[in-house]
């Protein structure tokens, strides 16, 4: 029987508000030792911000992290999966979309976790994980 994402995802994910500053986001990333943070307005997921987003979409452009809001640098329209999705299906989607982590939502599309390719590595064959990583690592067009 196929494993479900809810069985392998990380729960109790810390989030950031779109009105918080990039400095707030960076500090939260530092204290949690993470690179991505879901951006939420209450329980509604609006997007994701990563340490790379902060650097490429703000700092490199001379924007002040003390005053620039998370909403100005986050990625919206992010990929997500449902907690009931099969591990194999999500791994295939990661490969197709070239994304290493997905937000996990319930049937009401409320945030319940996050799943990274590393979470799936113990659940499927190493060959499948290797294929997915190879697909994720293929060069794609710049998305800044």
């Amino acid at each position: 029987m196929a494993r479900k994402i809810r069985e392998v995802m990380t729960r109790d994910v810390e989030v950031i508000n779109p009105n918080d500053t990039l400095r707030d986001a960076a500090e939260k990333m530092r204290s949690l030792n993470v690179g991505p943070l879901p951006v939420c307005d209450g329980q509604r997921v609006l997007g994701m911000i990563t340490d790379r987003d902060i650097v490429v979409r703000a700092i490199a452009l001379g924007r002040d992290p003390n005053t620039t809001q998370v909403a100005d640098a986050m990625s919206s329209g992010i990929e997500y999966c449902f907690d009931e999705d099969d591990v194999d299906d999500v791994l295939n989607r990661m490969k197709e979309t070239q994304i290493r982590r997905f937000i996990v939502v319930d049937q009401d599309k409320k945030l319940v976790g996050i799943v990274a390719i590393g979470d799936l590595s113990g659940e499927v064959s190493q060959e499948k994980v290797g294929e997915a990583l190879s697909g994720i690592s293929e060069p794609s067009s710049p998305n800044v």
Side-chain angles (χ1 to χ4, degrees), residues 41-55:
D41 185 11
Q43 287 189 310
R44 190 175 59 134
V45 179
L46 302 176
M48 177 89 81
I49 189 153
T50 67
D51 45 3
R52 183 179 189 282
D53 292 332
I54 293 171
V55 171

Side-chain angles (χ1 to χ4, degrees), residues 9-82:
M9 70 183 188
T10 299
R11 299 173 187 276
D12 302 322
V13 176
E14 291 283 334
V15 302
I16 192 118
N17 186 282
N19 298 321
D20 288 341
T21 67
L22 295 182
R23 186 180 188 301
D24 296 332
E27 173 55 28
K28 189 172 261 197
M29 289 173 184
R30 186 198 62 76
S31 68
L32 297 170
N33 194 28
V34 299
L37 287 172
V39 180
C40 295
D41 185 11
Q43 287 189 310
R44 190 175 59 134
V45 179
L46 302 176
M48 177 89 81
I49 189 153
T50 67
D51 45 3
R52 183 179 189 282
D53 292 332
I54 293 171
V55 171
V56 173
R57 294 181 177 166
I59 305 301
L61 300 175
R63 301 191 74 186
D64 183 354
N66 294 306
T67 58
T68 304
Q69 293 183 329
V70 167
D72 296 327
M74 72 179 205
S75 297
S76 54
I78 60 166
E79 290 289 329
Y80 63 90
C81 64
F82 291 97

Side-chain angles (χ1 to χ4, degrees), residues 76-106:
S76 54
I78 60 166
E79 290 289 329
Y80 63 90
C81 64
F82 291 97
D83 57 353
E84 290 294 317
D85 288 348
D86 290 334
V87 167
D88 282 332
D89 294 340
V90 172
L91 186 62
N92 287 333
R93 285 187 49 215
M94 286 178 171
K95 178 181 175 182
E96 291 168 7
T97 58
Q98 295 185 304
I99 297 174
R100 296 176 188 267
R101 68 186 64 81
F102 282 1
I103 295 289
V104 183
V105 297
D106 63 15

Side-chain angles (χ1 to χ4, degrees), residues 52 56-57 139-144:
R52 183 179 189 282
V56 173
R57 294 181 177 166
S140 62
S141 61
N143 216 3
V144 179

